[in-house]
Amino acid sequence: MKIAILVEGATEVAFREKLREFLQSRLEQKMPKLKFIPQDGRIPKEGKLKRVVENLLDNDGYDAVIALTDVYTGTNDFQDAADAKAKMMNWVGNNPKFYRHTALHDFEAWLLPYWTTIQTLAKHNRSAPSGSPETVNHQKPPAYWIKDIFEDGKCKRSYNKPIDGKAILRDNDLMIAIQACPDLKAFVNRIISLCDEDKIIP
């Protein structure tokens, strides 16, 4: 099984190794070949997304393509997760090998469950944003919370998405974020379901 995953950029690529490690422990011999394909800042829109997906399926031999977009893209493209998924489906058309997934409101929501690690790296004891990670929204998306604690902390630098994203995940159990973040669970379960339905996370 070969699965292409379209992602926005560097942070999601930092997540790749942690995801592979988690899936390997669960899927073992049924582990798919995963290729994360960064899209330089955002998932393509309209006809471009359709072309990218069809090229991966028809020319590059992938069995499935997953598009993973932030709902918060810095523009007003998407009102919410349902709108993002509907638009991606509309752009690509009814292709049974194409799957749409979202990070609410940006990828860093999936790092918020590890706030104590973030505090350690930033050298600051600021409290975590309240509520479940995926409800931290457009007024101040998760990436901004992490950026602020780094810039205010004694580490005296800003948050570096690929380097710090990887460091936050390194020694933590991905299942903690999966259980705290329904959209992350849906994304991980999509990959698992394509390989072995019996291993889906309840």
Side-chain angles (χ1 to χ4, degrees), residues 31-43:
M31 179 69 186
K33 290 183 179 174
L34 298 178
K35 183 167 178 68
F36 276 62
I37 306 174
Q39 299 297 304
D40 299 323
R42 60 157 306 146
I43 299 297

Side-chain angles (χ1 to χ4, degrees), residues 133-174:
E134 292 178 339
T135 62
V136 177
N137 66 16
H138 285 281
Q139 282 70 48
K140 189 173 179 183
Y144 285 80
W145 281 90
I146 297 175
K147 180 174 177 280
D148 284 353
I149 189 175
F150 268 82
E151 291 181 355
D152 292 344
K154 290 180 181 171
C155 70
K156 301 201 181 314
R157 62 182 179 82
S158 193
Y159 166 61
N160 180 300
K161 288 190 171 206
I163 293 169
D164 293 318
K166 197 169 186 176
I168 291 163
L169 290 165
R170 184 180 300 120
D171 297 323
N172 284 304
D173 181 355
L174 192 61

Side-chain angles (χ1 to χ4, degrees), residues 29-195:
Q29 301 308 313
K30 294 185 178 179
M31 179 69 186
K33 290 183 179 174
L34 298 178
K35 183 167 178 68
F36 276 62
I37 306 174
Q39 299 297 304
D40 299 323
R42 60 157 306 146
I43 299 297
K45 294 160 62 174
E46 302 174 9
K48 186 176 180 187
L49 179 59
K50 183 180 174 74
R51 287 192 299 276
V52 168
V53 169
E54 289 178 350
N55 188 53
L56 288 165
L57 292 170
D58 299 340
N59 299 331
D60 295 344
Y62 284 92
D63 299 296
V65 177
I66 298 171
L68 178 62
T69 185
D70 290 357
V71 172
Y72 179 80
T73 61
T75 68
N76 293 319
D77 285 337
F78 306 132
Q79 294 173 358
D80 53 28
D83 182 48
K85 290 174 191 171
K87 281 181 175 160
M88 288 191 290
M89 173 63 96
N90 188 46
W91 294 335
V92 173
N94 189 19
N95 189 321
K97 294 182 177 180
F98 174 65
Y99 303 93
R100 304 102 58 223
H101 285 272
T102 57
L104 269 179
H105 283 268
D106 59 31
F107 170 81
E108 274 75 13
W110 299 347
L111 301 179
L112 293 183
Y114 309 116
W115 193 257
T116 53
T117 301
I118 293 168
Q119 289 174 319
T120 300
L121 291 170
K123 300 180 180 172
H124 197 294
N125 64 357
R126 175 175 293 154
S127 298
S130 60
S132 63
E134 292 178 339
T135 62
V136 177
N137 66 16
H138 285 281
Q139 282 70 48
K140 189 173 179 183
Y144 285 80
W145 281 90
I146 297 175
K147 180 174 177 280
D148 284 353
I149 189 175
F150 268 82
E151 291 181 355
D152 292 344
K154 290 180 181 171
C155 70
K156 301 201 181 314
R157 62 182 179 82
S158 193
Y159 166 61
N160 180 300
K161 288 190 171 206
I163 293 169
D164 293 318
K166 197 169 186 176
I168 291 163
L169 290 165
R170 184 180 300 120
D171 297 323
N172 284 304
D173 181 355
L174 192 61
M175 188 63 91
I176 292 167
I178 288 169
Q179 297 296 8
C181 303
D183 279 282
L184 174 57
K185 182 188 274 190
F187 168 66
V188 172
N189 270 339
R190 172 72 67 196
I191 298 169
I192 293 171
S193 71
L194 288 167
C195 303

